[in-house]
């Protein structure tokens, strides 16, 4: 079964994304920070990681680099309240970013991306 990891501090967005993933027949691990990630989770190869980039104590680019290094995955989608174009450009300059969505998010577009895999 396909697996998705959702990392989102905002509990409402976390629950919306978790539900979106589940109704598309993916297994879902939904957490509010990397601190909640178990050793087992770090060894899981996720089909998707859907994550925010705004977490206290870590810069957005650092967070993305950490996720890419620590958690095996095929696709990384950013869903965030930070919609600044500069940050978006810097995130896309990193390789391995499959999408960047600022809140308010288009759930249909995110659903289409995960269904395509």
């Amino acid at each position: 079964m396909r697996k998705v990891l959702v990392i989102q501090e905002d509990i409402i967005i976390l629950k919306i994304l978790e539900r979106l993933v589940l109704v598309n027949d993916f297994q879902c691990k939904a957490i509010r920070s990397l601190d909640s990630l178990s050793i087992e989770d770090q060894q899981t190869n996720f089909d998707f990681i859907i994550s925010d980039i705004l977490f206290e104590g870590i810069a957005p680019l650092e967070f993305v680099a950490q996720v890419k290094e620590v958690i095996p995955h095929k696709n990384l989608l950013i869903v965030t309240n930070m919609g600044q174009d500069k940050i978006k450009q810097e995130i896309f300059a990193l390789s391995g970013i499959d999408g960047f969505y600022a809140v308010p998010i288009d759930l249909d577009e995110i659903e289409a991306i995960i269904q395509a895999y």
Side-chain angles (χ1 to χ4, degrees):
M1 180 171 247
R2 302 172 303 172
K3 297 178 183 134
V4 175
L5 173 63
V6 178
I7 310 168
Q8 181 65 245
E9 235 178 19
D10 183 309
I11 190 72
I12 294 168
I13 296 172
L14 176 78
K15 291 299 181 187
I16 290 168
L17 292 171
E18 180 181 29
R19 182 75 183 132
L20 178 72
V21 167
L22 291 171
V23 299
N24 281 283
D25 297 324
F26 282 81
Q27 284 182 352
C28 185
K29 171 80 174 189
I31 58 176
R32 295 189 65 196
S33 74
L34 280 180
D35 296 337
S36 304
L37 202 61
S38 72
I39 298 295
E40 182 181 281
D41 295 332
Q42 291 178 30
Q43 296 169 347
T44 299
N45 190 11
F46 290 97
D47 293 287
F48 276 94
I49 296 176
I50 303 174
S51 181
D52 197 349
I53 54 173
L54 292 175
F55 295 94
E56 194 172 322
I58 187 166
L61 292 175
E62 256 182 74
F63 178 80
V64 172
Q66 204 174 64
V67 165
K68 289 173 57 178
E69 182 181 313
V70 173
I71 311 165
H73 61 281
K74 295 176 187 149
N75 305 282
L76 176 58
L77 300 176
I78 304 298
V79 175
T80 184
N81 282 313
M82 179 180 273
Q84 298 174 357
D85 285 337
K86 182 181 180 227
I87 294 292
K88 185 176 182 176
Q89 290 168 355
E90 290 174 352
I91 295 288
F92 270 122
L94 302 170
S95 62
I97 307 299
D98 299 287
F100 186 104
Y101 302 93
V103 173
I105 52 177
D106 182 342
L107 291 175
D108 292 335
E109 194 172 332
I110 294 171
E111 185 173 35
I113 288 173
I114 64 172
Q115 285 178 347
Y117 286 90

